[in-house]
Short mmCIF file of all heavy atoms in Angstrom, two decimals:
data_model
loop_
_atom_site.label_atom_id
_atom_site.label_comp_id
_atom_site.label_asym_id
_atom_site.label_seq_id
_atom_site.Cartn_x
_atom_site.Cartn_y
_atom_site.Cartn_z
N SER V 254 142.58 73.55 -34.88
CA SER V 254 142.87 74.91 -34.51
C SER V 254 141.76 75.85 -35.00
O SER V 254 140.94 75.48 -35.83
CB SER V 254 144.20 75.36 -35.10
OG SER V 254 144.08 75.43 -36.52
N MET V 255 141.78 77.07 -34.54
CA MET V 255 140.82 78.05 -34.99
C MET V 255 140.98 78.28 -36.52
O MET V 255 140.00 78.48 -37.24
CB MET V 255 141.03 79.36 -34.24
CG MET V 255 139.94 80.37 -34.44
SD MET V 255 140.33 81.94 -33.65
CE MET V 255 139.95 81.62 -31.95
N LEU V 256 142.21 78.24 -36.96
CA LEU V 256 142.47 78.43 -38.40
C LEU V 256 141.77 77.35 -39.22
O LEU V 256 141.09 77.63 -40.22
CB LEU V 256 143.99 78.40 -38.65
CG LEU V 256 144.46 78.56 -40.08
CD1 LEU V 256 144.10 79.94 -40.65
CD2 LEU V 256 145.95 78.34 -40.20
N GLU V 257 141.95 76.08 -38.79
CA GLU V 257 141.29 74.99 -39.53
C GLU V 257 139.78 75.10 -39.46
O GLU V 257 139.09 74.88 -40.45
CB GLU V 257 141.74 73.64 -38.91
CG GLU V 257 143.20 73.35 -39.22
CD GLU V 257 143.79 72.32 -38.22
OE1 GLU V 257 143.29 72.18 -37.07
OE2 GLU V 257 144.78 71.70 -38.58
N ALA V 258 139.27 75.48 -38.26
CA ALA V 258 137.81 75.59 -38.09
C ALA V 258 137.30 76.67 -39.02
O ALA V 258 136.23 76.51 -39.64
CB ALA V 258 137.51 75.89 -36.66
N ALA V 259 138.02 77.79 -39.12
CA ALA V 259 137.61 78.87 -39.99
C ALA V 259 137.53 78.40 -41.44
O ALA V 259 136.56 78.69 -42.15
CB ALA V 259 138.56 80.04 -39.85
N HIS V 260 138.52 77.64 -41.85
CA HIS V 260 138.51 77.16 -43.22
C HIS V 260 137.37 76.21 -43.49
O HIS V 260 136.78 76.21 -44.58
CB HIS V 260 139.87 76.50 -43.56
CG HIS V 260 140.96 77.51 -43.70
ND1 HIS V 260 142.31 77.16 -43.83
CD2 HIS V 260 140.94 78.89 -43.73
CE1 HIS V 260 143.02 78.27 -43.92
NE2 HIS V 260 142.23 79.33 -43.88
N GLU V 261 137.05 75.39 -42.48
CA GLU V 261 135.95 74.44 -42.64
C GLU V 261 134.63 75.12 -42.88
O GLU V 261 133.74 74.59 -43.56
CB GLU V 261 135.84 73.52 -41.43
CG GLU V 261 136.71 72.31 -41.54
CD GLU V 261 136.84 71.57 -40.23
OE1 GLU V 261 135.92 71.63 -39.40
OE2 GLU V 261 137.89 70.90 -40.06
N ILE V 262 134.46 76.35 -42.35
CA ILE V 262 133.20 77.05 -42.59
C ILE V 262 133.42 78.21 -43.54
O ILE V 262 132.67 79.20 -43.53
CB ILE V 262 132.54 77.50 -41.26
CG1 ILE V 262 133.49 78.38 -40.42
CG2 ILE V 262 132.05 76.31 -40.46
CD1 ILE V 262 132.81 79.05 -39.25
N ASP V 263 134.44 78.08 -44.38
CA ASP V 263 134.69 79.01 -45.48
C ASP V 263 134.97 80.45 -45.05
O ASP V 263 134.58 81.39 -45.72
CB ASP V 263 133.52 78.99 -46.48
CG ASP V 263 133.60 77.76 -47.35
OD1 ASP V 263 134.72 77.30 -47.61
OD2 ASP V 263 132.53 77.27 -47.76
N ILE V 264 135.58 80.59 -43.88
CA ILE V 264 136.04 81.93 -43.51
C ILE V 264 137.46 82.09 -44.06
O ILE V 264 138.32 81.19 -43.88
CB ILE V 264 136.02 82.10 -41.97
CG1 ILE V 264 134.56 82.16 -41.49
CG2 ILE V 264 136.76 83.41 -41.59
CD1 ILE V 264 134.43 82.25 -40.00
N ASP V 265 137.68 83.14 -44.69
CA ASP V 265 138.90 83.33 -45.46
C ASP V 265 140.02 83.91 -44.56
O ASP V 265 140.49 85.02 -44.75
CB ASP V 265 138.63 84.29 -46.63
CG ASP V 265 139.73 84.18 -47.67
OD1 ASP V 265 140.53 83.24 -47.57
OD2 ASP V 265 139.78 85.07 -48.54
N LEU V 266 140.41 83.11 -43.56
CA LEU V 266 141.51 83.51 -42.71
C LEU V 266 142.79 83.01 -43.34
O LEU V 266 142.87 81.86 -43.71
CB LEU V 266 141.31 82.88 -41.31
CG LEU V 266 142.35 83.19 -40.23
CD1 LEU V 266 142.42 84.68 -39.93
CD2 LEU V 266 141.97 82.43 -38.94
N GLU V 267 143.75 83.89 -43.48
CA GLU V 267 144.99 83.45 -44.11
C GLU V 267 145.82 82.57 -43.18
O GLU V 267 145.67 82.66 -41.96
CB GLU V 267 145.82 84.67 -44.52
CG GLU V 267 145.62 85.06 -45.97
CD GLU V 267 146.65 86.06 -46.41
OE1 GLU V 267 147.85 85.68 -46.51
OE2 GLU V 267 146.28 87.22 -46.61
N GLY V 268 146.66 81.77 -43.75
CA GLY V 268 147.55 80.96 -42.94
C GLY V 268 148.72 80.56 -43.81
O GLY V 268 148.90 79.40 -44.16
N ALA V 269 149.51 81.57 -44.13
CA ALA V 269 150.54 81.41 -45.16
C ALA V 269 151.52 80.28 -44.86
O ALA V 269 151.98 79.58 -45.74
CB ALA V 269 151.30 82.72 -45.35
N CYS V 270 151.86 80.08 -43.57
CA CYS V 270 152.83 79.07 -43.24
C CYS V 270 152.18 77.76 -42.79
O CYS V 270 152.86 76.84 -42.33
CB CYS V 270 153.81 79.57 -42.19
SG CYS V 270 153.13 79.57 -40.54
N GLU V 271 150.87 77.69 -42.89
CA GLU V 271 150.08 76.50 -42.52
C GLU V 271 150.35 76.05 -41.11
O GLU V 271 150.47 74.85 -40.82
CB GLU V 271 150.33 75.37 -43.53
CG GLU V 271 149.74 75.74 -44.88
CD GLU V 271 150.07 74.76 -45.98
OE1 GLU V 271 150.91 73.87 -45.73
OE2 GLU V 271 149.52 74.92 -47.08
N GLY V 272 150.43 77.01 -40.22
CA GLY V 272 150.48 76.69 -38.80
C GLY V 272 151.86 76.36 -38.26
O GLY V 272 151.95 75.84 -37.17
N SER V 273 152.90 76.69 -38.99
CA SER V 273 154.22 76.36 -38.49
C SER V 273 154.90 77.55 -37.78
O SER V 273 156.11 77.56 -37.58
CB SER V 273 155.12 75.80 -39.59
OG SER V 273 155.24 76.76 -40.61
N LEU V 274 154.10 78.51 -37.37
CA LEU V 274 154.59 79.68 -36.61
C LEU V 274 155.68 80.43 -37.34
O LEU V 274 156.65 80.84 -36.70
CB LEU V 274 155.09 79.22 -35.24
CG LEU V 274 154.05 79.21 -34.11
CD1 LEU V 274 154.67 78.73 -32.83
CD2 LEU V 274 153.44 80.60 -33.91
N ALA V 275 155.53 80.60 -38.63
CA ALA V 275 156.54 81.29 -39.40
C ALA V 275 155.92 82.50 -40.13
O ALA V 275 156.57 83.08 -40.99
CB ALA V 275 157.18 80.36 -40.41
N CYS V 276 154.72 82.87 -39.75
CA CYS V 276 154.12 84.07 -40.36
C CYS V 276 153.19 84.66 -39.30
O CYS V 276 153.10 84.14 -38.21
CB CYS V 276 153.34 83.70 -41.62
SG CYS V 276 151.79 82.84 -41.31
N SER V 277 152.50 85.72 -39.61
CA SER V 277 151.46 86.18 -38.67
C SER V 277 150.20 86.48 -39.44
O SER V 277 149.35 87.26 -38.98
CB SER V 277 151.96 87.42 -37.91
OG SER V 277 152.34 88.41 -38.83
N THR V 278 150.02 85.80 -40.58
CA THR V 278 148.86 86.08 -41.42
C THR V 278 147.59 85.48 -40.83
O THR V 278 146.50 85.80 -41.30
CB THR V 278 149.06 85.55 -42.86
OG1 THR V 278 149.30 84.12 -42.77
CG2 THR V 278 150.23 86.22 -43.56
N CYS V 279 147.72 84.61 -39.85
CA CYS V 279 146.53 84.02 -39.22
C CYS V 279 146.09 84.79 -38.00
O CYS V 279 145.35 84.28 -37.17
CB CYS V 279 146.78 82.55 -38.90
SG CYS V 279 148.12 82.35 -37.69
N HIS V 280 146.64 85.98 -37.85
CA HIS V 280 146.30 86.86 -36.69
C HIS V 280 144.78 86.99 -36.52
O HIS V 280 144.08 87.34 -37.45
CB HIS V 280 146.95 88.23 -36.96
CG HIS V 280 146.64 89.29 -35.91
ND1 HIS V 280 146.59 90.62 -36.20
CD2 HIS V 280 146.37 89.16 -34.60
CE1 HIS V 280 146.30 91.29 -35.12
NE2 HIS V 280 146.16 90.45 -34.13
N VAL V 281 144.34 86.73 -35.31
CA VAL V 281 142.92 86.97 -34.99
C VAL V 281 142.88 87.82 -33.72
O VAL V 281 143.77 87.80 -32.88
CB VAL V 281 142.14 85.67 -34.75
CG1 VAL V 281 142.03 84.85 -36.02
CG2 VAL V 281 142.76 84.83 -33.63
N ILE V 282 141.80 88.58 -33.60
CA ILE V 282 141.57 89.37 -32.39
C ILE V 282 140.35 88.79 -31.72
O ILE V 282 139.27 88.75 -32.31
CB ILE V 282 141.36 90.85 -32.72
CG1 ILE V 282 142.63 91.40 -33.37
CG2 ILE V 282 140.99 91.65 -31.46
CD1 ILE V 282 142.49 92.83 -33.94
N VAL V 283 140.56 88.27 -30.49
CA VAL V 283 139.46 87.65 -29.77
C VAL V 283 138.64 88.77 -29.10
O VAL V 283 139.18 89.55 -28.34
CB VAL V 283 140.00 86.66 -28.72
CG1 VAL V 283 138.86 85.99 -27.98
CG2 VAL V 283 140.89 85.59 -29.38
N MET V 284 137.36 88.83 -29.43
CA MET V 284 136.52 89.94 -28.94
C MET V 284 135.88 89.60 -27.61
O MET V 284 135.43 90.48 -26.88
CB MET V 284 135.40 90.22 -29.97
CG MET V 284 135.91 90.55 -31.36
SD MET V 284 137.07 91.92 -31.41
CE MET V 284 135.91 93.30 -31.43
N ASP V 285 135.82 88.30 -27.29
CA ASP V 285 135.11 87.86 -26.08
C ASP V 285 136.15 87.58 -25.00
O ASP V 285 136.88 86.59 -25.06
CB ASP V 285 134.30 86.60 -26.43
CG ASP V 285 133.53 86.06 -25.25
OD1 ASP V 285 133.77 86.50 -24.10
OD2 ASP V 285 132.65 85.19 -25.48
N MET V 286 136.23 88.45 -24.01
CA MET V 286 137.24 88.33 -22.93
C MET V 286 137.11 86.99 -22.20
O MET V 286 138.12 86.37 -21.85
CB MET V 286 136.95 89.45 -21.93
CG MET V 286 138.10 90.33 -21.59
SD MET V 286 139.51 90.37 -22.63
CE MET V 286 140.78 90.14 -21.43
N GLU V 287 135.86 86.56 -21.98
CA GLU V 287 135.63 85.30 -21.27
C GLU V 287 136.28 84.13 -22.01
O GLU V 287 136.95 83.29 -21.44
CB GLU V 287 134.14 85.08 -21.14
CG GLU V 287 133.76 84.28 -19.91
CD GLU V 287 132.23 84.22 -19.75
OE1 GLU V 287 131.57 85.28 -19.83
OE2 GLU V 287 131.74 83.12 -19.62
N TYR V 288 136.09 84.15 -23.34
CA TYR V 288 136.69 83.11 -24.18
C TYR V 288 138.20 83.25 -24.19
O TYR V 288 138.94 82.28 -24.03
CB TYR V 288 136.13 83.22 -25.59
CG TYR V 288 136.73 82.26 -26.57
CD1 TYR V 288 136.51 80.89 -26.44
CD2 TYR V 288 137.56 82.70 -27.60
CE1 TYR V 288 137.11 80.00 -27.33
CE2 TYR V 288 138.14 81.84 -28.49
CZ TYR V 288 137.91 80.47 -28.35
OH TYR V 288 138.50 79.60 -29.22
N TYR V 289 138.66 84.47 -24.32
CA TYR V 289 140.11 84.71 -24.37
C TYR V 289 140.78 84.14 -23.11
O TYR V 289 141.82 83.49 -23.20
CB TYR V 289 140.39 86.20 -24.48
CG TYR V 289 141.88 86.51 -24.57
CD1 TYR V 289 142.54 86.45 -25.79
CD2 TYR V 289 142.61 86.84 -23.40
CE1 TYR V 289 143.90 86.66 -25.88
CE2 TYR V 289 143.98 87.07 -23.49
CZ TYR V 289 144.61 87.01 -24.72
OH TYR V 289 145.96 87.22 -24.80
N ASN V 290 140.17 84.37 -21.98
CA ASN V 290 140.76 83.93 -20.72
C ASN V 290 140.77 82.43 -20.54
O ASN V 290 141.53 81.89 -19.75
CB ASN V 290 140.01 84.59 -19.53
CG ASN V 290 140.34 86.06 -19.43
OD1 ASN V 290 141.41 86.51 -19.80
ND2 ASN V 290 139.39 86.84 -18.93
N LYS V 291 139.96 81.74 -21.33
CA LYS V 291 139.94 80.27 -21.25
C LYS V 291 141.05 79.65 -22.11
O LYS V 291 141.34 78.45 -21.98
CB LYS V 291 138.61 79.76 -21.78
CG LYS V 291 137.49 79.91 -20.79
CD LYS V 291 136.21 79.25 -21.32
CE LYS V 291 135.01 79.67 -20.47
NZ LYS V 291 133.78 79.59 -21.22
N LEU V 292 141.62 80.41 -23.00
CA LEU V 292 142.65 79.87 -23.89
C LEU V 292 143.95 79.64 -23.13
O LEU V 292 144.26 80.36 -22.19
CB LEU V 292 142.90 80.83 -25.08
CG LEU V 292 141.67 81.14 -25.92
CD1 LEU V 292 142.03 82.23 -26.94
CD2 LEU V 292 141.18 79.90 -26.63
N GLU V 293 144.69 78.65 -23.59
CA GLU V 293 146.05 78.46 -23.06
C GLU V 293 146.87 79.69 -23.37
O GLU V 293 146.65 80.36 -24.39
CB GLU V 293 146.71 77.28 -23.79
CG GLU V 293 146.04 75.95 -23.59
CD GLU V 293 146.56 75.21 -22.36
OE1 GLU V 293 147.74 75.39 -22.05
OE2 GLU V 293 145.77 74.51 -21.73
N ASP V 294 147.81 80.04 -22.50
CA ASP V 294 148.64 81.20 -22.79
C ASP V 294 149.49 80.96 -24.04
O ASP V 294 149.91 79.85 -24.31
CB ASP V 294 149.61 81.44 -21.62
CG ASP V 294 148.87 82.02 -20.42
OD1 ASP V 294 147.75 82.56 -20.60
OD2 ASP V 294 149.42 81.92 -19.30
N PRO V 295 149.74 82.05 -24.78
CA PRO V 295 150.59 81.87 -25.97
C PRO V 295 152.01 81.52 -25.58
O PRO V 295 152.53 81.92 -24.54
CB PRO V 295 150.53 83.27 -26.61
CG PRO V 295 150.00 84.20 -25.61
CD PRO V 295 149.23 83.41 -24.61
N THR V 296 152.65 80.72 -26.41
CA THR V 296 154.04 80.38 -26.20
C THR V 296 154.93 81.58 -26.56
O THR V 296 154.46 82.52 -27.21
CB THR V 296 154.47 79.19 -27.08
OG1 THR V 296 154.27 79.58 -28.44
CG2 THR V 296 153.62 77.95 -26.76
N ASP V 297 156.19 81.52 -26.18
CA ASP V 297 157.12 82.57 -26.55
C ASP V 297 157.20 82.71 -28.07
O ASP V 297 157.29 83.79 -28.64
CB ASP V 297 158.53 82.30 -26.02
CG ASP V 297 158.57 82.45 -24.50
OD1 ASP V 297 157.64 83.03 -23.92
OD2 ASP V 297 159.57 82.00 -23.90
N GLU V 298 157.17 81.54 -28.76
CA GLU V 298 157.25 81.57 -30.23
C GLU V 298 156.04 82.27 -30.82
O GLU V 298 156.18 83.07 -31.75
CB GLU V 298 157.29 80.14 -30.79
CG GLU V 298 158.62 79.38 -30.54
CD GLU V 298 158.73 78.80 -29.11
OE1 GLU V 298 157.74 78.85 -28.35
OE2 GLU V 298 159.81 78.29 -28.81
N GLU V 299 154.87 82.01 -30.25
CA GLU V 299 153.67 82.69 -30.76
C GLU V 299 153.79 84.19 -30.49
O GLU V 299 153.50 85.00 -31.35
CB GLU V 299 152.41 82.12 -30.10
CG GLU V 299 151.15 82.81 -30.67
CD GLU V 299 149.83 82.30 -30.07
OE1 GLU V 299 149.82 81.25 -29.40
OE2 GLU V 299 148.82 82.98 -30.29
N ASN V 300 154.23 84.54 -29.29
CA ASN V 300 154.36 85.97 -28.96
C ASN V 300 155.33 86.70 -29.88
O ASN V 300 155.11 87.81 -30.30
CB ASN V 300 154.79 86.13 -27.49
CG ASN V 300 153.59 86.06 -26.56
OD1 ASN V 300 152.52 86.49 -26.89
ND2 ASN V 300 153.81 85.48 -25.37
N ASP V 301 156.44 85.99 -30.21
CA ASP V 301 157.41 86.61 -31.13
C ASP V 301 156.77 86.91 -32.48
O ASP V 301 157.01 87.95 -33.06
CB ASP V 301 158.61 85.71 -31.33
CG ASP V 301 159.51 85.66 -30.09
OD1 ASP V 301 159.30 86.52 -29.19
OD2 ASP V 301 160.42 84.80 -30.04
N MET V 302 155.99 85.96 -32.99
CA MET V 302 155.31 86.16 -34.27
C MET V 302 154.22 87.22 -34.16
O MET V 302 154.05 88.03 -35.05
CB MET V 302 154.73 84.85 -34.77
CG MET V 302 155.68 84.00 -35.55
SD MET V 302 156.24 84.95 -37.00
CE MET V 302 157.88 84.30 -37.09
N LEU V 303 153.51 87.19 -33.03
CA LEU V 303 152.47 88.19 -32.84
C LEU V 303 153.00 89.59 -32.89
O LEU V 303 152.33 90.52 -33.35
CB LEU V 303 151.73 87.93 -31.50
CG LEU V 303 150.54 86.99 -31.51
CD1 LEU V 303 150.07 86.74 -30.08
CD2 LEU V 303 149.40 87.52 -32.37
N ASP V 304 154.22 89.77 -32.34
CA ASP V 304 154.82 91.09 -32.35
C ASP V 304 154.92 91.66 -33.78
O ASP V 304 154.99 92.88 -33.94
CB ASP V 304 156.20 91.06 -31.72
CG ASP V 304 156.16 90.98 -30.20
OD1 ASP V 304 155.08 91.30 -29.63
OD2 ASP V 304 157.15 90.56 -29.60
N LEU V 305 154.93 90.81 -34.76
CA LEU V 305 155.06 91.25 -36.14
C LEU V 305 153.70 91.47 -36.81
O LEU V 305 153.61 91.94 -37.94
CB LEU V 305 155.84 90.21 -36.97
CG LEU V 305 157.21 89.81 -36.41
CD1 LEU V 305 157.81 88.69 -37.28
CD2 LEU V 305 158.15 91.00 -36.40
N ALA V 306 152.64 91.11 -36.08
CA ALA V 306 151.30 91.21 -36.67
C ALA V 306 150.84 92.65 -36.78
O ALA V 306 151.10 93.48 -35.91
CB ALA V 306 150.29 90.37 -35.87
N PHE V 307 150.11 92.94 -37.82
CA PHE V 307 149.57 94.26 -38.05
C PHE V 307 148.36 94.49 -37.09
O PHE V 307 147.52 93.62 -36.97
CB PHE V 307 149.10 94.39 -39.51
CG PHE V 307 148.41 95.68 -39.81
CD1 PHE V 307 149.16 96.84 -39.99
CD2 PHE V 307 147.05 95.73 -39.90
CE1 PHE V 307 148.51 98.03 -40.25
CE2 PHE V 307 146.42 96.95 -40.20
CZ PHE V 307 147.15 98.10 -40.35
N GLY V 308 148.32 95.61 -36.40
CA GLY V 308 147.17 95.95 -35.57
C GLY V 308 147.08 95.08 -34.34
O GLY V 308 145.96 94.71 -33.93
N LEU V 309 148.21 94.78 -33.73
CA LEU V 309 148.23 93.94 -32.54
C LEU V 309 147.38 94.54 -31.41
O LEU V 309 147.43 95.74 -31.15
CB LEU V 309 149.66 93.81 -32.09
CG LEU V 309 149.98 92.78 -30.99
CD1 LEU V 309 149.75 91.37 -31.49
CD2 LEU V 309 151.41 92.94 -30.50
N THR V 310 146.62 93.68 -30.71
CA THR V 310 145.84 94.15 -29.55
C THR V 310 146.15 93.24 -28.36
O THR V 310 146.84 92.25 -28.50
CB THR V 310 144.32 94.03 -29.82
OG1 THR V 310 143.93 92.65 -29.76
CG2 THR V 310 143.91 94.62 -31.18
N ASP V 311 145.59 93.60 -27.19
CA ASP V 311 145.82 92.81 -26.00
C ASP V 311 145.21 91.41 -26.09
O ASP V 311 145.63 90.51 -25.35
CB ASP V 311 145.17 93.51 -24.79
CG ASP V 311 145.98 94.70 -24.33
OD1 ASP V 311 147.14 94.82 -24.79
OD2 ASP V 311 145.47 95.51 -23.55
N THR V 312 144.25 91.24 -26.96
CA THR V 312 143.63 89.92 -27.09
C THR V 312 143.91 89.30 -28.48
O THR V 312 143.13 88.52 -28.97
CB THR V 312 142.10 89.96 -26.83
OG1 THR V 312 141.50 90.86 -27.79
CG2 THR V 312 141.80 90.44 -25.43
N SER V 313 145.05 89.69 -29.04
CA SER V 313 145.42 89.08 -30.33
C SER V 313 145.99 87.69 -30.08
O SER V 313 146.66 87.44 -29.09
CB SER V 313 146.54 89.92 -30.97
OG SER V 313 146.03 91.12 -31.50
N ARG V 314 145.71 86.79 -31.00
CA ARG V 314 146.32 85.45 -31.01
C ARG V 314 146.58 85.06 -32.46
O ARG V 314 146.09 85.70 -33.39
CB ARG V 314 145.35 84.41 -30.40
CG ARG V 314 145.08 84.61 -28.94
CD ARG V 314 146.28 84.47 -28.06
NE ARG V 314 146.98 83.18 -28.22
CZ ARG V 314 146.84 82.14 -27.40
NH1 ARG V 314 146.04 82.23 -26.35
NH2 ARG V 314 147.51 81.04 -27.61
N LEU V 315 147.37 84.03 -32.61
CA LEU V 315 147.53 83.45 -33.93
C LEU V 315 146.54 82.30 -34.07
O LEU V 315 146.53 81.37 -33.27
CB LEU V 315 148.99 82.92 -34.13
CG LEU V 315 150.03 84.05 -34.20
CD1 LEU V 315 151.42 83.46 -34.39
CD2 LEU V 315 149.75 85.04 -35.30
N GLY V 316 145.72 82.41 -35.10
CA GLY V 316 144.62 81.46 -35.28
C GLY V 316 145.05 80.01 -35.32
O GLY V 316 144.34 79.09 -34.90
N CYS V 317 146.25 79.80 -35.84
CA CYS V 317 146.72 78.38 -35.98
C CYS V 317 147.19 77.82 -34.65
O CYS V 317 147.43 76.60 -34.55
CB CYS V 317 147.85 78.33 -37.00
SG CYS V 317 149.38 79.09 -36.46
N GLN V 318 147.33 78.65 -33.63
CA GLN V 318 147.82 78.19 -32.33
C GLN V 318 146.72 78.04 -31.32
O GLN V 318 146.95 77.56 -30.19
CB GLN V 318 148.91 79.13 -31.79
CG GLN V 318 150.08 79.29 -32.70
CD GLN V 318 150.76 77.95 -32.98
OE1 GLN V 318 151.14 77.24 -32.05
NE2 GLN V 318 150.87 77.58 -34.27
N VAL V 319 145.53 78.48 -31.67
CA VAL V 319 144.42 78.45 -30.73
C VAL V 319 143.55 77.25 -31.05
O VAL V 319 143.18 77.04 -32.20
CB VAL V 319 143.59 79.76 -30.84
CG1 VAL V 319 142.35 79.68 -29.97
CG2 VAL V 319 144.45 80.95 -30.43
N ILE V 320 143.25 76.47 -30.02
CA ILE V 320 142.43 75.27 -30.24
C ILE V 320 140.94 75.63 -30.21
O ILE V 320 140.51 76.29 -29.29
CB ILE V 320 142.70 74.19 -29.17
CG1 ILE V 320 144.19 73.99 -28.94
CG2 ILE V 320 141.98 72.89 -29.52
CD1 ILE V 320 144.91 73.19 -29.99
FE1 LIG D 137 151.53 81.07 -40.03
FE2 LIG D 137 149.69 80.75 -38.12
S1 LIG D 137 149.57 80.19 -40.21
S2 LIG D 137 151.70 81.45 -37.91
#
């Protein structure tokens, strides 16, 4: 996932629930529309958690759910 990839290159992205969709601390904002459009659509569970994320945008995703 993007969360794991971030950790591998020492980017300090939080992931309090370790990818079990029980937090929104891994919130990322995808800046590249082309890349965003290539991603699988978020599941309902991801969307529910995203709703709780601080500073939600149209291209917000949960880092642990994005491959
Ligand atoms: Fe908790 Fe992604 S690490 S939802």
Side-chain angles (χ1 to χ4, degrees):
S254 67
M255 191 186 281
L256 179 64
E257 291 158 337
H260 287 171
E261 272 167 28
I262 55 170
D263 284 329
I264 291 176
D265 197 13
L266 181 60
E267 263 192 70
C270 76
E271 292 173 352
S273 59
L274 270 179
C276 72
S277 56
T278 58
C279 62
H280 176 209
V281 295
I282 297 171
V283 180
M284 305 302 278
D285 181 348
M286 234 16 231
E287 208 175 310
Y288 176 68
Y289 182 84
N290 288 331
K291 283 185 193 154
L292 301 174
E293 298 271 328
D294 288 340
T296 60
D297 290 346
E298 289 80 7
E299 182 180 348
N300 278 325
D301 287 349
M302 272 301 146
L303 271 173
D304 283 341
L305 306 175
F307 175 78
L309 189 67
T310 74
D311 285 347
T312 60
S313 287
R314 294 297 303 261
L315 292 179
C317 69
Q318 301 301 305
V319 174
I320 313 283

